[in-house]
Amino acid sequence: MAKTESPSSGTLFESYSRAAADCSVITSDLYTKYEVKRGLRDISGKGVLAGLTEISEIVGYIMQDDDLVPCEGKLYYRGIDIESIVAGLEKSNYFGFEEICFLLLVGHLPDRAEYDTFRELLASYRSLPAQFLRDTIMTSPSRDMMNSIASSVLSLYAYDDQADDTSLPNVMRQSIQLLGQFPTLMVHSFHSYAYNYYNKSLVIHSPVPEYSTAQNILHMLRPDSSFTELESHILDQALILHAEHGGGNNSTFTTHVVTSSGTDTYSSIAASLCSLKGPKHGGASIKVIQMFDDMKKNVSDWTDDDEIRNYVLRLLNKDAFDRSGLIYGIGHAVYSLSDPRAVILKKSAGKLASEKNADREFDLYEKVERIAPEVIREHRQMYKGVSVNVDFFSGFVYRLLCLPEELYTPLFASARLAGWSAHRIEELSNGGKIIRPAYKSVSGQHDYIPMENR
């Protein structure tokens, strides 16, 4: 395809962008003057109340004498502590992601009959429509997996005779169908990407009806379809921990905003996928992995606290890795003293590291987990506690599972699709108004000047 840019277009765009920046930057004092909460949260991290939900609850602080007091983080799915969910599943030794999908969508834990029926329903939806792999996934691979997947989700609209029906039974059917199809779509998209961009062998395995979501992902992804019991159970746990996280996170709030317009399920989910793609949201686990790769090259002694501390300080001072000033995987918008998902996943990461002979690397993660918050507290003004978040260990777990980096964020999406769907149903159930917050203009008003007088 011929390029549409002229040789001087780069300079022209630079000129346009400078002019746009000059009239776009709003000084911080105006945000203070008009009491605008940037990022829809205050300086302590407390979010602006924009809605009510029964789906999940996040606790990062407690109120004491009208003050926010940091506390150990808690996450509840439909009122059930995530830690008790994981502990219960570990004792029962069965795959729990499907159970959590049922809990989030339907509102209660399934009994054995409901669980078996729901798993059978998901299994019946795991395959993609006829020719979808050939006509959609294989014909339009993208350099970014999330773009490919969002495009494919939008394409599924054309295969649904009831695509625009927003009645609750139909949206529930679409949600469960997408939960079944998404892992297959994700893995096939990766194989198409690897084939087209890296000349890898094209390996396509059909999903196995008897397998759980986690088992199917590993089965379809790996050329030999092999995986250990520990690998599949830890991936199942990661899916559970990422399944839902309140209505205020960026992608789920996107679900609410887009759903409130009355649009179809496929458009809503595609919008949420596009939100999740951002490195400040779903792409953070990749950044953590890349940061540690850089750290391992620049820290000669992984056991030396002082050398690690110096590297972390360089990160903070924009003198290491991507020079963003961020220590990826550290801190969270809501949690303060701990992220319960990170606490849980850390235990699994330790088990997997032992199985994969990666104990030395796991020890490095533990050291950074301890040292990074100390460095931040010493060199930054803090309004609440800071600790590692779930992204800190999820990328490490995915690497130990030999999953390609391109699938880290799509895996997040495979899990969070359950939460998005529950929130879409909640938005539709309450018949709310279209979401439309206010923005105050601070530009002033001017007369129109005719062309000849400019």
Side-chain angles (χ1 to χ4, degrees):
M1 182 180 295
K3 292 184 177 180
T4 58
E5 297 180 12
S6 65
S8 61
S9 62
T11 303
L12 188 61
F13 292 147
E14 288 177 6
S15 174
Y16 287 166
S17 64
R18 283 195 297 270
D22 287 342
C23 67
S24 297
V25 175
I26 299 171
T27 58
S28 58
D29 62 302
L30 289 177
Y31 287 96
T32 303
K33 176 181 177 180
Y34 294 110
E35 298 182 339
V36 175
K37 305 287 195 299
R38 302 195 72 179
L40 294 183
R41 58 181 188 263
D42 62 25
I43 199 168
S44 69
K46 183 181 180 183
V48 173
L49 190 60
L52 304 174
T53 184
E54 292 188 347
I55 298 168
S56 68
E57 180 184 5
I58 307 164
V59 179
Y61 58 85
I62 58 174
M63 294 299 297
Q64 198 171 80
D65 298 326
D66 295 326
D67 289 328
L68 297 179
V69 180
C71 68
E72 300 296 336
K74 286 288 185 181
L75 173 62
Y76 299 88
Y77 288 173
R78 296 286 185 183
I80 306 173
D81 192 329
I82 189 67
E83 293 173 270
S84 69
I85 289 174
V86 170
L89 289 170
E90 286 178 343
K91 290 179 182 178
S92 302
N93 196 35
Y94 68 93
F95 293 95
F97 178 62
E98 291 75 16
E99 176 179 287
I100 296 309
C101 290
F102 185 96
L103 170 66
L104 294 173
L105 287 172
V106 183
H108 65 267
L109 288 170
D111 60 25
R112 173 56 65 178
E114 288 174 320
Y115 174 76
D116 291 341
T117 299
F118 189 73
R119 277 198 60 167
E120 290 173 7
L121 188 59
L122 279 177
S124 72
Y125 285 135
R126 291 207 189 278
S127 296
L128 298 170
Q131 284 79 53
F132 191 84
L133 172 62
R134 183 197 68 193
D135 296 343
T136 301
I137 295 177
M138 292 298 298
T139 58
S140 57
S142 168
R143 290 184 299 276
D144 190 284
M145 288 289 302
M146 290 297 285
N147 285 76
S148 295
I149 292 170
S151 176
S152 293
V153 168
L154 283 173
S155 296
L156 286 171
Y157 173 98
Y159 294 81
D160 187 344
D161 293 335
Q162 298 172 282
D164 288 309
D165 180 357
T166 58
S167 66
L168 292 184
N170 190 58
V171 172
M172 180 66 78
R173 187 267 306 173
Q174 291 172 328
S175 299
I176 296 172
Q177 186 167 325
L178 280 171
L179 278 166
Q181 290 175 330
F182 198 93
T184 307
L185 187 156
M186 171 187 73
V187 175
H188 288 356
S189 294
F190 171 74
H191 286 308
S192 174
Y193 161 84
Y195 172 77
N196 280 279
Y197 287 97
Y198 294 101
N199 201 30
K200 299 288 186 180
S201 297
L202 186 60
V203 179
I204 302 295
H205 295 309
S206 297
V208 176
E210 296 77 24
Y211 278 175
S212 69
T213 299
Q215 289 174 307
N216 262 309
I217 289 171
L218 294 174
H219 149 69
M220 291 188 291
L221 182 62
R222 295 178 175 178
D224 62 1
S225 294
S226 66
F227 52 85
T228 68
E229 184 176 356
L230 179 62
E231 286 179 321
S232 58
H233 276 283
I234 286 181
L235 181 56
D236 179 68
Q237 184 184 93
L239 292 173
I240 291 169
L241 295 175
H242 284 98
E244 162 59 8
H245 209 242
N249 71 79
N250 198 274
S251 58
T252 305
F253 188 59
T254 298
T255 302
H256 278 279
V257 171
V258 177
T259 296
S260 76
S261 75
T263 194
D264 66 278
T265 297
Y266 303 97
S267 295
S268 171
I269 297 302
S272 300
L273 285 165
C274 292
S275 165
L276 191 70
K277 178 189 173 185
K280 294 182 180 180
H281 192 11
S285 61
I286 298 174
K287 282 289 192 178
V288 174
I289 280 291
Q290 293 171 344
M291 179 185 74
F292 268 92
D293 286 343
D294 185 75
M295 185 185 307
K296 286 181 281 189
K297 293 176 185 176
N298 290 282
V299 174
S300 59
D301 184 355
W302 296 4
T303 66
D304 188 333
D305 282 13
D306 290 335
E307 193 174 355
I308 294 171
R309 184 179 298 273
N310 180 61
Y311 178 86
V312 170
L313 184 57
R314 288 177 58 212
L315 285 172
L316 207 61
N317 291 334
K318 301 182 180 182
D319 189 37
F321 183 41
D322 62 0
R323 291 172 168 75
S324 66
L326 299 175
I327 306 174
Y328 293 100
I330 306 293
H332 190 272
V334 180
Y335 295 121
S336 51
L337 300 186
S338 65
D339 178 342
R341 302 167 302 170
V343 173
I344 294 168
L345 203 56
K346 177 184 177 180
K347 295 176 183 177
S348 295
K351 294 177 185 177
L352 198 57
S354 295
E355 182 179 271
K356 303 284 186 176
N357 296 315
D359 295 299
R360 181 167 170 261
E361 191 170 3
F362 180 70
D363 290 343
L364 176 61
Y365 272 76
E366 284 194 307
K367 284 186 176 294
V368 176
E369 177 189 18
R370 172 175 53 82
I371 291 171
E374 293 175 358
V375 172
I376 292 173
R377 284 192 291 268
E378 290 168 4
H379 296 274
R380 292 287 186 272
Q381 185 176 6
M382 297 300 300
Y383 297 94
K384 66 183 185 70
V386 62
S387 61
V388 298
N389 59 50
V390 68
D391 295 311
F392 189 82
F393 287 108
S394 61
F396 180 53
V397 166
Y398 294 155
R399 176 165 285 184
L400 291 175
L401 290 172
C402 300
L403 303 178
E405 286 184 17
E406 293 88 349
L407 281 183
Y408 289 9
T409 308
L411 276 167
F412 191 152
S414 289
R416 189 56 60 84
L417 183 58
W420 293 338
S421 298
H423 280 275
R424 174 167 168 77
I425 290 169
E426 191 172 68
E427 183 69 34
L428 291 169
S429 298
N430 288 285
K433 296 180 179 180
I434 185 170
I435 295 174
R436 197 234 185 263
Y439 269 66
K440 180 177 180 60
S441 172
V442 292
S443 67
Q445 297 175 350
H446 313 278
D447 291 333
Y448 176 79
I449 302 173
M451 181 74 73
E452 61 271 17
N453 295 333
R454 295 175 199 167

